[in-house]
């Protein structure tokens, strides 16, 4: 009986792992960013809850389908060989069914409980992530720039959920998220480049092991963050408080990339990665504080 319970718990944790909780949490943060910037006070709690629920289901389903499509490559990498499919915990066909159900259910909740635009953006996000970005990882190092599009779309979804339309502020937030993802994912790619090479993924640190091109890409996108972050202030969406705090935050993010540029070590890449992870929730706090002033 005890062994059966442990096995059941193990399978449940396996299904949870399929949804990629770390990525899912970042998706939800960006969705809340968009929702709050568009005007939380103009929405309601029911819409907000439907937005988070639908987004979480669709994003989790996309993660599961990514597990399904990359199951053979996951076996080749140290960091992924113990995932639910390679380890034999969950059968591939069950993962496929699970992922499709979550994506469709999430899309329906968003389309029916929020609005059609948000539902469409969710479906578009899943399509680009699963059927465009995932196969591109084995074709070109530009997969990161392409993958940043579905990664930034949840911010648009959060905005349309609250406002019902896509406005200038939504595109600004989309641009912020698009730029942010490059240093974030290049840091991951640098840390896991040996694994990616074993699986045949054309990540930039694999294609160009010296790292010069990776460093340039990181800094270009970090530099572009500064003017884009300032736009909500200049358009009158947010105040001086936001402008000052967001620029300081971007400066700290920028400085966190220097150790990697100097020594190209895994530890330095981890510093950049941690900085990127903290960036989004802190930016959300700044926006919430600004809106409350």
């Amino acid at each position: 009986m005890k062994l059966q319970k442990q096995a059941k718990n193990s399978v449940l944790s396996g299904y949870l792992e399929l949804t990629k909780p770390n990525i899912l949490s970042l998706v939800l943060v960006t969705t809340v960013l968009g929702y709050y910037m568009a005007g939380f006070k103009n929405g309601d709690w029911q819409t907000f809850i439907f937005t988070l629920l639908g987004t979480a289901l669709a994003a989790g389903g996309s993660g599961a389908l990514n597990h399904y499509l990359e199951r053979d490559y996951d076996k080749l990498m140290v960091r992924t060989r113990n995932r639910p499919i390679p380890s034999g915990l969950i059968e591939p066909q069950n993962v496929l069914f699970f992922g499709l159900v979550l994506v469709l259910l999430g899309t329906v909740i968003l389309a029916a409980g929020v609005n059609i635009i948000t539902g469409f953006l969710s479906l578009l996000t899943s399509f680009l992530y699963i059927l465009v970005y995932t196969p591109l990882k084995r074709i070109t190092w530009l997969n990161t720039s392409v993958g940043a599009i579905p990664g930034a779309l949840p911010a648009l979804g959060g905005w349309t959920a609250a406002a019902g339309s896509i406005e200038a502020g939504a595109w600004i937030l989309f641009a912020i998220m698009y730029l942010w993802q490059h240093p974030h994912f290049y840091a991951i790619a640098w840390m896991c480049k040996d694994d990616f090479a074993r699986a045949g993924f054309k990540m930039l640190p694999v294609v160009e092991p010296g790292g010069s091109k990776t460093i340039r890409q990181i800094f270009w996108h970090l530099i572009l963050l500064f003017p884009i972050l300032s736009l909500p202030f200049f358009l009158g969406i947010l105040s001086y408080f936001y402008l000052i705090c967001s620029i300081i935050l971007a400066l700290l993010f920028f400085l966190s990339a220097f150790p990697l540029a100097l020594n190209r070590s895994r530890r330095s890449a981890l510093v950049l990665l941690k900085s990127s992870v903290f960036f989004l929730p802190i930016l959300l706090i700044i926006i919430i504080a600004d809106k409350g002033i």
Side-chain angles (χ1 to χ4, degrees):
M1 189 71 177
K2 186 176 180 180
L3 290 175
Q4 288 179 338
K5 186 176 181 180
Q6 287 177 343
K8 185 178 180 180
N9 289 337
S10 180
V11 172
L12 288 175
S13 65
Y15 275 102
L16 178 61
E17 185 182 346
L18 289 173
T19 65
K20 299 194 173 184
N22 291 336
I23 294 177
L24 179 57
S25 62
L26 291 174
V27 168
L28 292 178
V29 169
T30 61
T31 302
V32 174
L33 265 171
Y35 197 97
Y36 203 88
M37 276 190 69
F40 185 88
K41 294 176 183 177
N42 297 328
D44 57 68
W45 283 103
Q46 179 176 311
T47 302
F48 181 66
I49 291 170
F50 276 140
T51 300
L52 292 184
L53 177 60
T55 300
L57 289 172
S62 298
L65 293 174
N66 176 263
H67 274 267
Y68 174 79
L69 290 176
E70 295 189 338
R71 60 192 184 279
D72 292 331
Y73 311 124
D74 283 344
K75 295 176 183 178
L76 305 174
M77 297 190 288
V78 175
R79 74 184 186 94
T80 59
R81 63 190 178 192
N82 291 320
R83 282 178 172 177
I85 298 179
S87 66
L89 181 64
I90 302 175
E91 292 296 321
Q93 63 269 23
N94 293 339
V95 175
L96 176 61
F97 178 76
F98 176 68
L100 288 172
V101 168
L102 288 190
V103 169
L104 292 175
L105 183 58
T107 301
V108 169
I109 289 173
L110 291 171
V114 182
N115 56 57
I116 293 294
I117 299 175
T118 306
F120 169 75
L121 287 173
S122 174
L123 192 60
L124 178 62
T125 301
S126 297
F127 170 80
L128 291 175
Y129 177 69
I130 299 163
L131 298 178
V132 180
Y133 166 65
T134 296
L136 271 182
K137 288 163 70 176
R138 296 183 58 79
I139 299 172
T140 172
W141 67 267
L142 292 171
N143 66 78
T144 300
S145 293
V146 174
I149 297 173
L153 282 175
L156 277 184
W159 186 288
T160 59
S165 61
I166 301 177
E167 301 161 342
W171 289 116
I172 293 170
L173 194 55
F174 176 87
I176 291 171
M177 291 307 308
Y178 182 82
L179 294 171
W180 168 85
Q181 287 176 87
H182 287 78
H184 175 77
F185 284 112
Y186 281 133
I188 294 173
W190 187 266
M191 293 171 62
C192 304
K193 59 182 178 179
D194 293 337
D195 254 357
F196 285 132
R198 274 190 288 269
F201 289 128
K202 306 295 184 182
M203 310 307 287
L204 185 53
V206 174
V207 175
E208 193 251 339
S212 298
K213 201 168 185 177
T214 301
I215 298 301
R216 286 199 299 272
Q217 287 291 318
I218 288 171
F219 276 102
W220 270 120
H221 289 91
L222 285 171
I223 289 169
L224 288 172
L225 259 181
F226 286 92
I228 299 300
L229 277 169
S230 67
L231 287 177
F233 166 75
F234 290 111
L235 291 179
I237 300 172
L238 297 169
S239 74
Y240 266 114
F241 174 82
Y242 161 81
L243 177 65
I244 295 170
C245 292
S246 64
I247 294 303
I248 292 173
L249 179 63
L251 180 61
L252 293 173
F253 192 12
F254 181 79
L255 293 175
S256 72
F258 274 90
L260 181 59
L262 293 173
N263 59 38
R264 315 287 169 91
S265 71
R266 191 180 188 279
R267 178 176 292 183
S268 295
L270 182 59
V271 170
L272 176 60
L273 177 62
K274 287 183 177 180
S275 178
S276 69
V277 170
F278 283 115
F279 180 88
L280 289 183
I282 294 175
L283 183 63
L284 175 59
I285 292 170
I286 291 171
I287 292 172
I288 292 173
D290 184 273
K291 288 280 192 179
I293 291 175

